[in-house]
Amino acid sequence: MRTSQLYLSTLKEAPSEAELISHKLMLRAGLIKRLGSGLYTWMPLGLRILRKVERIVREEMDKAGAQELLMPAVQPAELWQETGRWDVFGPQMLKIKDRHERDFCFGPTHEEVITDIARNELRSYKQLPVNFYQVQTKFRDEIRPRFGVMRAREFLMKDAYSFDASFDGLKASYAKMAVAYANIFTRLGLKFRAVAADSGAIGGDGSQEFHVLADAGEDLLAYCPTSDFAANVEAAEALAPTAPRAAATETLRDVETPKQTTCEDVAALLGISIERTVKLIALVAADGQFVIALLRGDHSLNEVKLGKLAGMGDFRFATEEEIRSTFNCPPGFLGPVGIAADIKVIADRTVAAMSDFVCGANKPKFHIAGVNFGRDLPEPALVADIRNVVAGDPSPDGKGVLELCRGIEVGHIFQLGTKYSKALNATFTDVDGALKPFEMGCYGIGVSRVVGAAIEQNFDERGIKFPQAMAPFEVAIVAVGYHRSEAVKEAAEQLYAELAAAGVDVLLDDRNERPGSMFADMELIGVAHRFTIGDKGLADGVVEYVARAGGEMQKVALAEVPAFAKALAV
């Protein structure tokens, strides 16, 4: 490809609505153009990158034994109503009607459709296992589309679905997909982690997320640097303290806290560490019962863990009016001492092991110090892991302590089990002639999101530093003086022809532009390797080489450039 033939539309400044680095750079590099909120056109340069990601995804899926198909993007409501997700999926689903007023949706995912295929096509255990995948446009009506392709309403996704005759078979298919995903992200040149995760709206028993590590990541990940443990903070277990609760040594006493409504401020006033404070979070359970959750002052509530406790699935936070009527006290001074017996108490494991702690007094401008379970208040009705882990917590695998980092989710794999096959009555005849529901797995990769995530991990002040496998071009030849120097033109054309013939993805910058402008464009769009050919270098028999990923400029003998360039593109 020649830049004189390539539609290249770069900008010096990003539009004001761009927030994340990836959004800014994709707009500046001309990879995408905004059509509407959360809707983007992939321009020729951006589409080249997207197709490279797709190619690697397809190759690894094929290698793992999956078979590609293509399902309709528009799905009938009846399928979703069979599984009960038509109403449950929520406002993210774009619902539409045809001219006959029949309900459809623009598919946010395809579990229902693929299960319908299986119940009509797969009859016997002899046809199993099987794994179908597609690369398909999805639509989710995000409440606030933002960050460019990172949280768009329309996006490109690879979704795969496995069907097995047994749960052991499902686990084998799941493990195979985990390996395929690791291969995909390794080949793409990304720093990533596979982490244990919550299954969310998709459902099922077990799941893993694949995260590209980047400071801009929306997800907080917990990992152990001395073992293989890694999990989304939503799913990382906070172990109970191993030491027994210490005996009470302090007397119960009120302390005046006229303006202190947070654990941080109370601890500062009393000259104690925040680890000696307990905060109360007022909640209303799914059945309408008033519930209080107790956490150590420096810990945060994990809503996913709490929601999995019996009766808490659809809990909500109590309103200020409900808090005042229940405690006769404003928020900021609430505590568990002396509360009504009909209020359920859930204490985090760490709180249950505390003694002589400080909490709210249930009266304005006061807290209580020297509080102890068993003496000043009953033992909690339920002790559970309801907090987010923090750096320094022991790893759940017992092999070290946890550290935290940010990640961008680009893939998710699920063990669905029989959740969808039972709902849609999708069965097969097993070896004994009995009808059984399929054991299913689901495996997704946000193909378009991968591009944005890669940029968040690989950029500098000059633009994008794509890993070579994703770069729009592997090699750029910048011909300085192409239009005025026959020697430059001849050398550039010869190198271009030789690399193209060898299968190298090469771009010849043959524009009549200033060198600085040509260099800036190649750096902005993220071409992996750049060779600069000019009269001065040719006079010495050399060209200049620089890698976009970093490193010093080096001079390469003109005669050695073809072999040097081909070796880079391997």
Side-chain angles (χ1 to χ4, degrees):
M1 178 71 73
R2 301 167 184 269
T3 51
S4 58
Q5 300 170 336
L6 174 69
Y7 183 80
L8 188 61
S9 176
T10 58
L11 302 171
K12 290 186 177 180
E13 299 292 336
S16 59
E17 76 270 11
E19 299 175 77
L20 284 187
I21 287 292
S22 58
H23 191 192
K24 294 177 180 179
L25 290 177
M26 290 184 79
L27 290 171
R28 284 191 55 211
L31 307 186
I32 57 173
K33 298 292 182 182
R34 183 180 184 273
L35 174 64
S37 178
L39 303 172
Y40 293 90
T41 297
W42 286 80
M43 300 301 287
L45 195 66
L47 191 59
R48 288 182 63 88
I49 300 161
L50 196 63
R51 293 291 184 247
K52 289 188 174 187
V53 176
E54 283 185 60
R55 178 179 58 79
I56 289 175
V57 168
R58 282 190 167 95
E59 287 175 357
E60 291 300 327
M61 292 301 294
D62 293 343
K63 189 186 299 183
Q67 301 177 63
E68 186 172 7
L69 46 64
L70 185 62
M71 292 176 276
V74 176
Q75 306 176 22
E78 290 83 1
L79 280 178
W80 287 78
Q81 289 163 348
E82 278 191 72
T83 60
R85 291 209 298 171
W86 182 253
D87 296 317
V88 171
F89 207 86
Q92 276 194 326
M93 181 188 288
L94 179 64
K95 297 177 180 179
I96 53 181
K97 291 181 181 290
D98 67 6
R99 68 179 66 194
H100 303 293
E101 291 297 304
R102 291 175 298 206
D103 288 317
F104 292 83
C105 68
F106 197 111
T109 183
H110 277 70
E111 284 81 12
E112 280 79 2
V113 177
I114 196 68
T115 308
D116 182 63
I117 292 172
R119 69 180 174 181
N120 289 305
E121 297 292 328
L122 304 177
R123 306 292 188 186
S124 168
Y125 72 94
K126 295 179 181 179
Q127 296 172 279
L128 304 176
V130 66
N131 189 336
F132 298 115
Y133 81 94
Q134 65 172 348
V135 179
Q136 166 71 282
T137 298
K138 299 288 195 294
F139 191 98
R140 295 183 185 175
D141 198 0
E142 293 282 354
I143 189 170
R144 188 186 165 211
R146 52 184 177 156
F147 305 151
V149 300
M150 298 284 283
R151 192 165 290 282
R153 292 199 290 174
E154 184 178 288
F155 54 94
L156 193 65
M157 180 178 176
K158 187 285 301 178
D159 46 324
Y161 307 90
S162 64
F163 296 86
D164 282 276
S166 67
F167 188 69
D168 284 342
L170 166 59
K171 289 193 290 185
S173 295
Y174 180 89
K176 190 178 292 186
M177 285 295 98
V179 171
Y181 274 41
N183 291 342
I184 287 167
F185 298 121
T186 298
R187 286 185 60 188
L188 288 172
L190 299 172
K191 296 176 184 176
F192 71 96
R193 273 192 175 268
V195 303
D198 180 68
S199 297
I202 302 299
D205 297 318
S207 73
Q208 273 184 299
E209 293 171 347
F210 289 77
H211 286 261
V212 169
L213 304 183
D215 292 338
E218 292 183 284
D219 290 287
L220 189 60
L221 311 178
Y223 69 96
C224 180
T226 56
S227 75
D228 293 331
F229 176 81
N232 193 302
V233 165
E234 291 180 344
E237 181 184 8
L239 299 179
T242 55
R245 182 196 296 162
T249 61
E250 298 181 10
T251 58
L252 190 70
R253 61 197 186 279
D254 283 354
V255 290
E256 190 172 2
T257 53
K259 297 180 179 179
Q260 289 73 21
T261 59
T262 68
C263 290
E264 291 86 352
D265 291 342
V266 171
L269 177 70
L270 301 181
I272 61 174
S273 69
I274 193 173
E275 288 86 353
R276 290 188 56 195
T277 66
V278 168
K279 57 187 171 186
L280 181 152
I281 300 174
L283 310 160
V284 178
D287 61 1
Q289 182 184 10
F290 208 86
V291 177
I292 62 169
L294 302 179
L295 290 99
R296 200 172 76 181
D298 60 326
H299 288 160
S300 59
L301 179 68
N302 187 310
E303 296 180 36
V304 172
K305 293 179 182 178
L306 183 63
K308 290 183 176 180
L309 300 180
M312 296 299 294
D314 293 317
F315 78 89
R316 63 176 175 82
F317 293 95
T319 65
E320 183 171 345
E321 182 180 352
E322 289 170 327
I323 290 172
R324 287 180 179 271
S325 64
T326 301
F327 291 90
N328 194 29
C329 177
F333 303 96
L334 306 181
V337 178
I339 62 169
D342 60 343
I343 297 177
K344 182 178 180 179
V345 178
I346 303 175
D348 181 67
R349 291 169 172 173
T350 304
V351 171
M354 292 174 67
S355 60
D356 294 335
F357 58 85
V358 176
C359 62
N362 294 324
K363 57 182 178 180
K365 302 182 180 181
F366 280 91
H367 280 69
I368 306 177
V371 181
N372 288 271
F373 287 111
R375 185 192 73 181
D376 309 313
L377 73 167
E379 295 290 344
L382 175 63
V383 176
D385 173 22
I386 58 171
R387 72 172 175 91
N388 289 321
V389 295
V390 296
D393 278 342
S395 177
D397 64 3
K399 297 180 180 179
V401 297
L402 296 179
E403 294 185 11
L404 303 180
C405 66
R406 286 278 168 190
I408 300 169
E409 183 188 342
V410 291
H412 205 156
I413 62 177
F414 303 85
Q415 292 181 16
L416 297 177
T418 58
K419 174 182 171 70
Y420 294 93
S421 55
K422 283 184 175 179
L424 290 167
N425 194 28
T427 60
F428 67 96
T429 303
D430 72 3
V431 67
D432 298 319
L435 288 178
K436 288 186 176 180
F438 296 102
E439 294 283 352
M440 291 177 58
C442 169
Y443 319 95
I445 288 178
V447 178
S448 50
R449 200 168 208 242
V450 165
V451 178
I455 295 170
E456 289 294 335
Q457 191 181 83
N458 301 276
F459 69 91
D460 61 17
E461 69 281 357
R462 298 189 299 276
I464 304 168
K465 299 197 298 182
F466 276 121
Q468 181 170 303
M470 296 177 62
F473 296 94
E474 293 172 328
V475 172
I477 302 169
V478 176
V480 178
Y482 180 93
H483 292 272
R484 65 174 183 270
S485 170
E486 196 61 37
V488 168
K489 182 176 181 179
E490 182 180 343
E493 289 288 351
Q494 182 176 341
L495 179 58
Y496 174 69
E498 186 166 350
L499 293 181
V504 176
D505 189 14
V506 58
L507 175 66
L508 173 59
D509 196 341
D510 58 351
R511 294 175 295 171
N512 190 17
E513 296 280 352
R514 293 179 295 105
S517 178
M518 299 163 80
F519 295 156
D521 279 345
M522 296 304 104
E523 291 175 331
L524 175 59
I525 67 176
V527 177
H529 307 283
R530 187 183 80 219
F531 290 91
T532 302
I533 298 178
D535 279 322
K536 185 177 179 180
L538 289 178
D540 296 328
V542 298
V543 300
E544 294 179 350
Y545 164 75
V546 65
R548 183 66 184 94
E552 296 295 321
M553 184 273 290
Q554 62 184 98
K555 294 183 179 181
V556 181
L558 180 60
E560 298 174 5
V561 171
F564 186 91
K566 283 184 280 190
L568 293 172
V570 173

